[in-house]
């Protein structure tokens, strides 16, 4: 299990199927870099200068949209993950 | 539904019709990048170093003016949105 | 009406007539970019890390001097405005 | 009257006569850019993150030395002024 | 013994064996720079502006994943270590 | 008299005589830029975000070592001074 | 005596003898820039925004490892020292 530190979040990429107007599914190379993910693990949150820890706004299982190219790719037990800072997450799909 | 995080705001672009002095409606390519939007969703606000959360100054439905090129374009359920930080919003049209 | 956010201020440019020593009024292209404006609307002020909001030092109607090239030009109902941060305002002409 | 904002200060340049060892007064172009000024107006001071305002250390009438090239030149009622931040003032000549 | 200062952590690199799909172990030059380590020593933590010290989230013995190229390589008693800031650690493998 | 502002300090350069191993005094051009000075005047200290002023660690008369090229050269009543921030002072020679 | 200011520390470089596997002592030019030092003097510590001073984590006599190229070289009474900020010290060898 990956336990992220501070305000970090471990996510799994979600490949979103992209169809053209005519309904043709585009092969992988024609698609944009993915921007969608599922939260796998959440850190305890960042610590403020006041000493307080900020409770993260996301939780395990959330589907999220994040900034393209943000985060670090990590391979763990044969699977690919992305470790982001919570501030790289734009929105939760709810 | 897109639920933005922190001080982020989801907006929908408003295409403003641009006429020349002679009343001719300019085609799309001759127009400036839009600077106007409608607020679709508002995050809980950013957290200060004191631990306090700042209540956003905008609310759902507000028509706003924002910095050109600010934010990240996001496609969700076939529609285009822009996710901005509240600090990229210049003014509310009221 | 434009309601600026945070420490932003909406101003209207004031064209200052420039005469040479000999009394000749210079045409527009020979003048420097304007540095004078009139305050049209004032935001609620910026929020400090302590959670306190700083009351702006300018008010509607003030004539001000601001940093050249500061701010964002905005067209609203056919008129041109400039949206500045209060920190771009150098002085009030009183 | 120019009323500077925040930690800004309005100054008037003081031209210091520069003589060479032989007593010859150098013409303007041979002199360094002036570094001396007289304080004409003082802003209310900058606001700290604690919400406190810092009382400026200079007062109207003070002769000061400031960083070369600091500040913004402003022409007001036919006279040239310089608007500096107090932090650009190095010392008061007392 | 190396006693790291502030929010620093001393780690030992863990070489992870990499096999291709066909089960062939790749020689050293074909592998990525390691991203995995074992915590050998932990500093007392960084000091916040409030004067409070933040207890580190990692402890001696933890297996961690860290940002590639982060930290400073140090040779001590013939062994190679890496001294990182805790903020360069992405996650604990638990 | 020069009264420095904030955390600024006025110093007088101390020319340190440099001898080679053989006892030859090197002419001026062969010496490094001076790094030693004597404190002539000390500002009231910088103001923290808490509103507190930090008492300077140097006092008039102290011999100090400072970062090469730090500060601003100022000529006052025919003498050359250097105005530094206290943070540019590395150590007091005591 | 050199009394460092704030969070500064005066150190003396420790030349570490480097032998190759075959036991040959490498001449000076083949060695890396030193990274080891002995603490000679410690400043009172840096002041936080809260007004509190942080007690340094190193003390006179400590053997330390520091970031290569950090600090300022200072010659005092014929000896070479390095003045570092405590944050440039990676670890104490204890």
């Amino acid at each position: 299990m990956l336990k992220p530190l501070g305000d970090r979040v471990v996510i799994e990429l979600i490949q979103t199927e992209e169809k053209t107007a005519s309904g043709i599914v585009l092969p992988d190379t024609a698609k944009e870099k993915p921007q969608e993910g599922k939260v796998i693990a959440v850190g305890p949150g960042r610590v403020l200068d006041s000493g307080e820890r900020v409770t993260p706004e996301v939780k395990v299982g959330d589907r999220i949209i994040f900034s393209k190219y943000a985060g670090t790719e990590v391979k763990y037990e044969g699977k690919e993950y992305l470790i982001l800072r919570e501030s790289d997450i734009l929105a939760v799909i709810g």
Side-chain angles (χ1 to χ4, degrees), chain A:
Chain A
M1 212 186 103
L2 291 173
K3 289 182 287 188
L5 266 69
D7 61 341
R8 286 193 178 86
V9 170
V10 180
I11 69 159
E12 208 176 72
L13 297 188
I14 298 173
Q15 301 295 337
T16 52
E17 211 178 81
E18 198 97 320
K19 293 187 196 179
T20 61
S22 60
I24 296 162
V25 178
L26 293 171
D28 197 32
T29 53
K31 278 193 286 184
E32 257 191 334
K33 231 182 117 70
Q35 283 188 283
E36 225 176 294
K38 197 176 117 192
V39 176
I40 297 301
V42 180
R46 71 184 167 101
V47 176
L48 299 173
D49 267 343
S50 62
E52 211 176 310
R53 211 176 262 278
V54 185
T55 309
E57 296 179 40
V58 296
K59 56 181 198 304
V60 172
D62 278 353
R63 274 180 64 210
I64 58 153
I65 294 180
F66 58 92
S67 308
K68 273 194 260 183
Y69 313 114
T72 306
E73 290 180 20
V74 163
K75 195 183 277 186
Y76 177 64
E77 297 184 342
K79 281 192 68 172
E80 298 261 346
Y81 297 98
L82 202 64
I83 301 184
L84 303 170
R85 291 188 171 274
E86 200 194 12
S87 55
D88 293 319
I89 301 179
L90 301 170
V92 171
I93 303 171

